[in-house]
Amino acid sequence: MTSNGAEKNVQGQALRRSLYVTLAAWTALYILVFLAAVAYFEFSEKGEVAEMIAARTSTYYVLKEDEAEDYLETLDVPRGNFQTVSSNDGEVVVRDLTTYYFIRSLKWPIAVAVFFIGYVVVVCLLITRSVGYFNELSEALAGVVRHRDQPVRLSRELAVIQGELNEVREAALADERAAGEAERRKNELVAYLAHDIRTPLTSVVGYLSLMNEAPDLPDEQRKRYVSAALAKAELLDTLTAEFFEITRYNLATIPIERTDVGVRLFLEQIAEEFLPEMQRRSITSRVDALEDAEIRIDPDKMARAIGNVVRNAVAYADDGSEVVLSARRADDAGWEIVVSDQGREIAPEHLESIFDRFYREDNARSSSGNAGLGLAIAKEIVEAHGGSIRAESADGTTRFIILLP
């Protein structure tokens, strides 16, 4: 049985126990009150109550004293049912107690009937109280929908249900906030898409317009315009690919197909992809990893992730500096892959934000010509592997640390 199921079982037992205890207490109290009432009427039978009943139900006769006996014998009433009330000046007052004795004979049947009717009333009151729990739950459920910002409060007997309803309320609030955040992200995506695609597209249109308006341009200038337009078109292609990729990773779970890969050769191949840019700026690369060590990853996707990190490192490394890719076994038997460069630092307050989509930091390591999605894509891929990525930047050195299980 799950913890949640066990809590529900305990809650149900506690609620039933409470109802049973309440029923027993109310029953005991009712019996005591009923017995006290019976005792009161029993002991007061010859007192004021009995006299009141006899006076209201009796038939009175005023007879001559010498004729009373003969007259009473003529009535179809047992002699013992007559009672002499008073005698004065040769006259007697006699009353017929037949009705009173009949009522008295029904005393115990009436008492039993009253007892059961009263007990039914007690049980109905308890049932009404139990139904009140359902009304309380119904109002609480309505409150979860209408007043999500207010916590649910129920009776002590419904504590576990109160906790579950508050969890539902908090989850609904979280979903609402997530929906709002998703809408904001979507609007950002549209804004960034329009801005980042428009910039290179405007350049391409501009260069082509110049060549169209001046067909007699010198060959050298025409080649320069064609080269610039091609570079902007390639940038536009890269931006479009990044947008499609981050959207694909965002809408679906990234499928990971792991295989054993030689970690040193893997990192060397990634570094070689950036050799032309590094040579142009006199940047060198170094791979620090064991020759025969193997890592179990999806090589295509992880190459994309680490490649994005290396691209960022090369873009912001100082000319003539060194970019280092290292890999070593972590203490928890996982892998720690580090890409470090010497150059422009990342401000401490931006170390977390650089992995957000479309992130830009104007005065530090900005996107510089891309959509700001490279590190976000790297994070998506690393987390799909069950790992994490973070950045450290101090004393002119920036390190991107990837931890993989």
Side-chain angles (χ1 to χ4, degrees):
M1 181 182 294
T2 63
S3 175
N4 191 34
E7 287 182 356
K8 288 182 180 178
N9 189 37
V10 171
Q11 174 76 84
Q13 291 178 355
L15 189 56
R16 287 193 296 272
R17 190 183 306 113
S18 174
L19 292 174
Y20 293 153
V21 169
T22 302
L23 177 61
W26 286 15
T27 300
L29 179 62
Y30 174 73
I31 291 175
L32 289 175
V33 172
F34 183 82
L35 290 178
V38 169
Y40 171 76
F41 286 108
E42 179 67 22
F43 290 120
S44 65
E45 180 184 351
K46 296 178 181 180
E48 294 180 359
V49 176
E51 179 58 30
M52 179 187 69
I53 296 174
R56 291 178 179 277
T57 59
S58 298
T59 302
Y60 288 83
Y61 300 94
V62 180
L63 304 170
K64 296 291 185 180
E65 188 173 357
D66 55 352
E67 298 175 355
E69 291 293 334
D70 295 336
Y71 179 77
L72 294 176
E73 288 180 357
T74 63
L75 300 176
D76 189 18
V77 179
R79 185 66 182 83
N81 288 0
F82 291 103
Q83 181 185 38
T84 300
V85 179
S86 63
S87 176
N88 186 22
D89 297 332
E91 290 184 342
V92 295
V93 178
V94 180
R95 62 182 179 181
D96 182 1
L97 298 176
T98 301
T99 302
Y100 167 74
Y101 287 139
F102 175 74
I103 295 174
R104 182 179 173 182
S105 67
L106 297 177
K107 177 177 63 177
W108 292 113
I110 292 175
V112 171
V114 170
F115 174 82
F116 281 108
I117 292 173
Y119 190 69
V120 169
V121 172
V122 169
V123 173
C124 289
L125 290 175
L126 183 60
I127 293 175
T128 301
R129 181 180 178 183
S130 302
V131 172
Y133 290 136
F134 292 99
N135 294 334
E136 191 175 357
L137 284 175
S138 177
E139 293 176 0
L141 288 172
V144 168
V145 176
R146 293 196 300 263
H147 309 291
R148 293 181 183 174
D149 56 331
Q150 298 178 4
V152 176
R153 301 188 184 281
L154 296 175
S155 303
R156 177 177 55 84
E157 294 82 2
L158 303 175
V160 172
I161 299 177
Q162 172 182 304
E164 292 179 348
L165 288 178
N166 279 320
E167 288 179 2
V168 171
R169 179 185 66 85
E170 292 170 2
L173 287 175
D175 290 342
E176 189 175 326
R177 288 192 293 267
E181 180 66 15
E183 181 67 18
R184 185 183 69 81
R185 289 287 187 181
K186 183 193 72 174
N187 294 337
E188 286 183 353
L189 173 63
V190 173
Y192 280 120
L193 180 63
H195 176 272
D196 286 338
I197 289 182
R198 182 179 180 180
T199 300
L201 186 59
T202 300
S203 298
V204 170
V205 172
Y207 285 121
L208 294 178
S209 296
L210 286 174
M211 289 187 290
N212 183 58
E213 294 170 0
D216 56 345
L217 280 174
D219 290 342
E220 187 65 28
Q221 189 174 4
R222 183 179 295 275
K223 288 180 180 178
R224 189 166 64 250
Y225 285 176
V226 170
S227 177
L230 178 60
K232 294 299 182 180
E234 290 175 345
L235 175 58
L236 184 60
D237 181 65
T238 301
L239 292 175
T240 306
E242 281 194 345
F243 277 117
F244 277 121
E245 186 166 10
I246 195 64
T247 302
R248 176 166 58 88
Y249 288 163
N250 184 43
L251 296 178
T253 302
I254 304 175
I256 300 299
E257 299 175 357
R258 300 176 187 267
T259 186
D260 292 328
V261 176
V263 64
R264 184 179 182 86
L265 179 60
F266 178 68
L267 295 180
E268 287 176 345
Q269 290 174 341
I270 294 175
E272 287 176 0
E273 294 179 10
F274 302 94
L275 188 58
E277 174 65 15
M278 288 190 288
Q279 287 179 341
R280 187 179 64 83
R281 297 173 50 203
S282 302
I283 297 174
T284 60
S285 65
R286 176 167 57 90
V287 174
D288 183 10
L290 294 177
E291 190 71 38
D292 56 349
E294 289 189 341
I295 183 172
R296 191 167 184 80
I297 55 174
D298 185 321
D300 293 334
K301 294 183 176 63
M302 188 55 64
R304 171 68 164 147
I306 299 176
N308 286 351
V309 174
V310 175
R311 179 179 293 106
N312 183 279
V314 172
Y316 297 106
D318 291 338
D319 292 350
S321 63
E322 182 181 51
V323 174
V324 179
L325 289 75
S326 64
R328 67 178 184 87
R329 281 286 187 180
D331 295 337
D332 58 356
W335 280 93
E336 180 185 82
I337 299 175
V338 179
V339 177
S340 61
D341 67 87
Q342 295 177 341
R344 188 180 301 175
E345 294 181 6
I346 304 173
E349 62 269 22
H350 297 293
L351 287 175
E352 293 291 336
S353 302
I354 58 174
F355 298 103
D356 293 343
R357 297 165 193 167
F358 314 112
Y359 169 77
R360 283 175 168 81
E361 182 190 357
D362 293 337
N363 297 322
R365 299 173 67 130
S366 63
S367 302
S368 184
N370 59 50
L373 293 172
L375 295 180
I377 293 173
K379 181 182 179 183
E380 296 276 357
I381 295 174
V382 169
E383 290 182 347
H385 278 76
S388 63
I389 183 172
R390 72 178 191 275
E392 299 175 353
S393 189
D395 301 326
T397 300
T398 299
R399 303 170 71 242
F400 289 91
I401 303 166
I402 298 173
L403 297 177
L404 296 173

